[in-house]
Amino acid sequence: MTDREADGRGASETGDPLLLTPGPLTTSASVKRAMLHDWGSRDRTFLEMNERVLARIAGMANATATHACVPMQGSGTFAVEAMIGTMVPRDGKLLVLVNGAYGTRAARICARIGRAVATLETPEDTPPDLAALERRLAEDQAITHVLAVQCETTSGILNPVEEIATLVADAGRALLIDAMSAFGALPLDAGEVPFQALAASSNKCLEGVPGLGFVLCERGALAAAAGNAPSLALDLADQQAVLEKTGQYRFTPPIHVIAALDQAIAEHAAEGGVTGRGARYAENCQVLVDGMRTRGFETLLPDELQAPIIVTFRMPADPAFDFTRFYDGLAARGYLIYPGKLTVAESFRIGCIGRLARADMEGALAAVDAVLAEMGVTSVAA
Ligand SMILES: *Cc1c(COP(=O)(O)O)cnc(C)c1O
């Protein structure tokens, strides 16, 4: 898989630094090589590739019979905005379960496009309050939709989408899921977890390159949503209507991104699909968390709330620990980490996803030791 060079430096198959980030992330050489061609956007070769990609994505969520997989050009946020604008009707109201920056962003999108929105917030280290959700749905009959984030990448917390889905369905409301940082690695079965729409993207656990989002939309709800969207470009109903009729995109598709995703999905299947991908990430996460704890670092989250996607560590209190030097020292050794995004505590994050395996996480831990020694840090307690 990836390699440590002779000097212990972390490097991808193509010699680049390893991205221990939540995406864009380290991709395989074969995924990058899949982009070394040109395709016509209306040519059969591309259209077949596109169809295959969308069908296999729907299959990963066991959603083929019930949901259309609608692609959306752009980063993941474009898909989230398209999902909200298309699925929440003009007289609808969205309740967003917020415990991090991505929930907050979804609520901002909804307010910006002029849809009624409410939030139910819990702290960044706390899953949504299900009893409060049930009460809110009983009290506010105007709420038509609920949006939940499966893995809140802000902290790395795993939110209980299965329980949320049951509760929302029992209350007769529709569920939208931001599954961006979990899709392809954490299971979510449309036959078991009722959702109206689910958004994710090419460049996270599917290990493709950035540029394509997609939304799994319940077919009936999508057809009924024609004319809802306040945006032409971000109208999933229109996108799907044209794709179904012509097989083609309305506007230029990110062809190379889709070619890379086709290869990435073949590699996902070869690894054992969602189960295999999830198992590798779980091992990466375990090696990382165990290794960092052995060194004295503290995780924000207890193990039972930690998704195997990205881990938040509390900033060491030792004045000798300087985050910029820590970051630069790790980068010089081929490991790019991520700053914290918490509002509650000083922190930094290390990702477990992408073309990374145990040896890469062990290499990162060795680099942490070297950088701490260089800074003269003796304790990493928060
Ligand atoms: C990455 C991510 C997004 C989308 O972010 P982009 O930068 O637009 O790709 C949305 N939600 C979650 C939970 C994410 O992790």
Side-chain angles (χ1 to χ4, degrees):
M1 193 160 290
T2 50
D3 228 350
R4 273 205 283 160
E5 293 184 342
D7 59 359
R9 193 178 300 268
S12 74
E13 290 165 345
T14 45
D16 304 302
L18 294 175
L19 304 179
L20 305 178
T21 62
L25 34 70
T26 296
T27 56
S28 68
S30 36
V31 163
K32 288 186 276 280
R33 265 200 309 272
M35 294 184 284
L36 295 177
H37 300 280
D38 302 307
W39 294 267
S41 66
R42 304 188 180 278
D43 183 71
R44 279 242 60 80
T45 317
F46 166 68
L47 298 180
E48 280 168 16
M49 185 162 72
N50 183 62
E51 259 174 46
R52 180 167 60 236
V53 163
L54 299 179
R56 295 184 84 170
I57 289 171
M60 282 177 209
N62 188 28
T64 309
T66 48
H67 294 69
C69 182
V70 190
M72 179 49 64
Q73 299 96 322
S75 83
T77 303
F78 291 67
V80 172
E81 185 155 339
M83 173 171 75
I84 293 171
T86 305
M87 304 313 289
V88 180
R90 290 175 189 219
D91 59 356
K93 180 173 180 179
L94 178 67
L95 175 66
V96 184
L97 304 177
V98 176
N99 59 351
Y102 292 101
T104 301
R105 185 183 298 173
R108 282 186 65 204
I109 287 170
C110 197
R112 175 68 73 96
I113 63 177
R115 298 287 194 267
V117 61
T119 57
L120 189 61
E121 291 197 39
T122 45
E124 287 156 334
D125 59 358
T126 308
D129 180 339
L130 299 182
L133 171 60
E134 200 170 1
R135 276 198 307 277
R136 183 71 77 89
L137 292 178
E139 282 163 15
D140 189 347
Q141 291 299 321
I143 294 167
T144 54
H145 289 71
V146 174
L147 186 145
V149 181
Q150 186 175 8
C151 167
E152 218 339 321
T153 324
T154 307
S155 63
I157 196 171
L158 180 62
N159 286 325
V161 279
E162 295 83 359
E163 289 164 79
I164 293 167
T166 304
L167 207 152
V168 169
D170 287 349
R173 308 320 215 288
L175 180 66
L176 309 180
I177 302 176
D178 173 351
M180 208 66 62
S181 59
F183 192 85
L186 302 181
L188 203 147
D189 184 320
E192 288 166 17
V193 181
F195 62 86
Q196 185 179 82
L198 175 152
S201 73
S202 54
N203 66 281
K204 289 189 175 173
C205 302
L206 295 182
E207 298 188 1
V209 305
L212 188 78
F214 49 84
V215 187
L216 294 169
C217 298
E218 225 166 48
R219 290 178 191 278
L222 182 62
N228 271 352
S231 158
L232 174 68
L234 298 178
D235 184 345
L236 295 175
D238 195 44
Q239 179 92 318
Q240 179 64 11
V242 173
L243 267 167
E244 264 178 8
K245 203 161 148 206
T246 66
Q248 296 173 3
Y249 283 71
R250 297 171 302 162
F251 316 125
T252 304
I255 294 203
H256 297 81
V257 173
I258 294 165
L261 187 55
D262 190 30
Q263 174 63 25
I265 287 173
E267 292 174 14
H268 182 267
E271 191 176 4
V274 174
T275 309
R277 180 68 41 100
R280 174 160 58 84
Y281 290 172
E283 183 181 10
N284 288 350
C285 185
Q286 195 66 53
V287 170
L288 173 68
V289 167
D290 288 350
M292 291 293 274
R293 283 190 182 143
T294 301
R295 287 158 175 80
F297 284 95
E298 297 168 30
T299 61
L300 173 76
L301 298 172
D303 293 347
E304 63 274 17
L305 295 179
Q306 178 69 59
I309 304 296
I310 187 165
V311 183
T312 299
F313 296 98
R314 293 184 183 278
M315 205 67 92
D318 185 342
F321 185 92
D322 177 73
F323 179 72
T324 305
R325 280 188 69 193
F326 184 62
Y327 178 92
D328 290 344
L330 292 177
R333 290 168 174 80
Y335 300 94
L336 299 188
I337 65 166
Y338 224 53
K341 204 175 184 173
L342 293 186
T343 52
V344 292
E346 286 277 346
S347 63
F348 62 89
R349 292 177 289 173
I350 301 184
C352 312
I353 63 179
R355 205 70 181 163
L356 305 170
R358 168 181 282 274
D360 301 310
M361 306 319 275
E362 287 167 349
L365 290 165
V368 165
D369 288 337
V371 179
L372 292 177
E374 212 170 72
M375 289 195 291
V377 172
T378 49
S379 160
V380 292

